[in-house]
Amino acid sequence: MTMTASLNVQVRSYLPGRIVRIGLLLFATLAALVPVDFVRVTQGWLYLSLASLALGATGALWVVSKKETVIVRPVIVFVLIVLCLNQVVRLNPIGFVTLWAPIVLGIGVALSVKRPLSILVWASVFLSVSMLVDLFLKDHVFGRIFGTDNYVAYSQDVFRARGIVGQPVPASMVAVALAAGAMLLSADLRRHRNFIRAVIVLSVSVSVFASGTRSAVLCAVAMALVVLLANYIRGRSGGLKIGNIAAWATPLAAAVVLGAVTFAWNALATQRVFSFSTLSGSASLDNRNYAALVFDDWSASCRGTCKFFGSGARTLLEALSSGLGFRGFTTVDNLFLSLLWDFGISLLLGVLVFVVIAVRVLIKSPFAVNRAGAVIVLSIIFSGLFYDALYIRPVLLLFGIGIGLIGLKCTENERVDREAER
């Protein structure tokens, strides 16, 4: 009788967690797949996406309340307070839906899943396949599943795949962040590590190449240098070990790759993603330079409370679309300027705090899952130098996943690592 009662208690405690985990994954998938920022979606898809965010954020808060974490609760409360104070300047509840809910949902996914590596790898593969389909068909097929394009890009001289994210630049940046986190998580694998890493590298290469996004190449290189530097610092204090096979195989593999790239460079150099010669004088560069003029306008028009708490969610986009924009662009391709305009100095300082925390975790944490979360957060923040990721839901979801992985406690990390080794 006692064993039966104990079994019933275990089943009752297991089922709610499993149901919530499946639900959060489903809600996150729906919220990420519907490209509301780039497609004029039908009402059915729009309401389904909003419902996914609302239900997913509610479930995520339940998960957070049940877990032992670090920094997760302060992050959720901080963003919530900034959004509430932002309403003093302009009553605009859209910020809670477009910013807070996706981040909280991403945190809930990170805290509830047993194998975060599987989530990152499969998401990376799915994104690369969608980009490849676009490239082969020379058509943006996924956006039309949900509605019609909001606008046509100014320059259509070179086809650029968009995939499931909806635009080439955020798609490639998401691919880089997914790959960075997955590569660090794969460090603790006992089996199939080389195969998993080959899949990750292939997926991110396909996504970046198909998007033609040169900035993603710079972001990937920067993240690789950050991780190598962090490993070097950790190695000096913790004795970073390199096995005998890696000692001779790594230089050999690097030589083979370098030789292959050298022979194929003439073909690669003609592709947009590897050619920076056309950047000078382009609309893309001009639009980034235009950010300085937008900043001057903000300095002149924003006063008092506006400086600290911003003008309100999406007000920069509205100002640009109403005539302030350049050549039809409704973004200045800079995350930090958008943060400053819409949410003021307070949220900008908060992002800088995230950077400090992520760098410290990347150097100090002995657990791969925490370091993976840190590199995801750093990748997304760094990519903000090249484009505006403020309201793009897949990016916000991934940012939340990074925060959640950073906040996992040590005992949880050990369990996740054991699951990954099986």
Side-chain angles (χ1 to χ4, degrees):
M1 189 71 178
T2 304
M3 292 182 60
T4 304
S6 175
L7 182 61
N8 289 336
V9 170
Q10 291 178 4
V11 171
R12 285 196 298 270
S13 62
Y14 173 74
L15 283 178
R18 182 179 177 83
I19 292 172
V20 170
R21 181 166 61 249
I22 294 174
L24 288 178
L25 286 173
L26 177 62
F27 294 142
T29 301
L30 287 173
L33 284 179
V34 183
V36 293
D37 291 297
F38 308 112
V39 173
R40 192 179 295 110
V41 299
T42 60
Q43 284 192 342
W45 284 115
L46 178 62
Y47 292 144
L48 183 60
S49 177
L50 292 174
S52 298
L53 284 176
L55 295 174
T58 302
L61 291 175
W62 181 84
V63 170
V64 171
S65 69
K66 300 294 182 181
K67 294 281 187 179
E68 283 190 54
T69 61
V70 293
I71 83 159
V72 170
R73 292 185 181 90
V75 167
I76 292 175
V77 172
F78 168 74
V79 177
L80 183 62
I81 290 174
V82 169
L83 290 175
C84 290
L85 292 174
N86 184 255
Q87 304 303 300
V88 175
V89 179
R90 179 187 180 190
L91 183 60
N92 187 13
I94 193 173
F96 295 99
V97 177
T98 57
L99 280 176
W100 189 70
I103 293 175
V104 172
L105 178 53
I107 290 173
V109 170
L111 295 179
S112 62
V113 296
K114 291 184 176 180
R115 297 178 177 85
L117 176 59
S118 299
I119 301 298
L120 297 181
V121 171
W122 280 111
S124 181
V125 171
F126 187 44
L127 175 59
S128 65
V129 170
S130 69
M131 301 288 283
L132 205 57
V133 170
D134 269 11
L135 185 64
F136 279 155
L137 297 180
K138 290 293 187 292
D139 191 13
H140 304 126
V141 297
F142 293 95
R144 288 198 293 274
I145 297 175
F146 305 99
T148 57
D149 290 342
N150 282 327
Y151 61 91
V152 178
Y154 177 79
S155 175
Q156 292 288 348
D157 53 338
V158 178
F159 180 84
R160 303 175 66 185
R162 299 177 182 176
I164 57 174
V165 174
Q167 282 294 312
V169 178
S172 62
M173 295 299 185
V174 166
V176 171
L178 286 170
M183 287 294 283
L184 281 180
L185 272 177
S186 66
D188 288 334
L189 285 176
R190 299 288 186 184
R191 297 178 298 173
H192 311 302
R193 178 168 57 185
N194 291 335
F195 173 75
I196 294 296
R197 288 187 165 182
V199 170
I200 294 167
V201 171
L202 179 61
S203 297
V204 68
S205 301
V206 168
S207 295
V208 172
F209 180 80
S211 71
T213 305
R214 295 164 290 217
S215 303
V217 178
L218 299 178
C219 185
V221 171
M223 287 303 101
L225 293 175
V226 167
V227 172
L228 288 174
L229 180 60
N231 283 341
Y232 172 75
I233 296 173
R234 292 176 65 246
R236 292 193 63 181
S237 58
L240 187 65
K241 296 180 180 180
I242 301 177
N244 291 330
I245 296 178
W248 62 264
T250 301
L252 180 61
V256 171
V257 171
L258 182 61
V261 171
T262 301
F263 283 112
W265 180 248
N266 289 335
L268 292 174
T270 60
Q271 304 300 318
R272 186 183 191 277
V273 70
F274 296 109
S275 174
F276 289 82
S277 60
T278 58
L279 188 60
S280 178
S282 66
S284 178
L285 181 62
D286 290 342
N287 191 54
R288 287 179 173 85
N289 292 335
Y290 183 72
L293 300 178
V294 173
F295 182 79
D296 289 341
D297 184 79
W298 175 84
S299 300
S301 60
C302 195
R303 291 283 186 268
T305 307
C306 175
K307 293 280 187 182
F308 290 97
F309 306 120
S311 303
R314 291 188 180 271
T315 52
L316 176 58
L317 298 181
E318 293 173 5
L320 292 172
S321 62
S322 65
L324 189 61
F326 175 80
R327 295 193 185 181
F329 283 100
T330 56
T331 176
V332 292
D333 283 338
N334 189 290
L335 169 65
F336 307 101
L337 183 57
S338 294
L339 285 171
L340 192 61
W341 184 297
D342 284 7
F343 298 100
I345 297 172
S346 58
L347 192 53
L348 192 62
L349 291 176
V351 170
L352 296 179
V353 171
F354 292 160
V355 171
V356 174
I357 292 173
V359 169
R360 186 177 185 277
V361 169
L362 192 60
I363 295 174
K364 295 286 188 180
S365 177
F367 299 103
V369 69
N370 294 141
R371 298 198 303 272
V375 79
I376 289 173
V377 168
L378 289 174
S379 179
I380 291 174
I381 292 176
F382 180 78
S383 69
L385 292 170
F386 305 106
Y387 80 115
D388 186 359
L390 187 54
Y391 300 106
I392 302 174
R393 290 182 185 176
V395 178
L396 295 173
L397 283 165
L398 192 55
F399 185 80
I401 289 175
I403 293 293
L405 294 179
I406 289 176
L408 281 170
K409 295 284 282 186
C410 292
T411 54
E412 188 73 6
N413 296 339
E414 293 166 355
R415 180 185 67 78
V416 172
D417 291 341
R418 286 196 299 270
E419 291 281 348
E421 292 173 2
R422 293 176 183 174

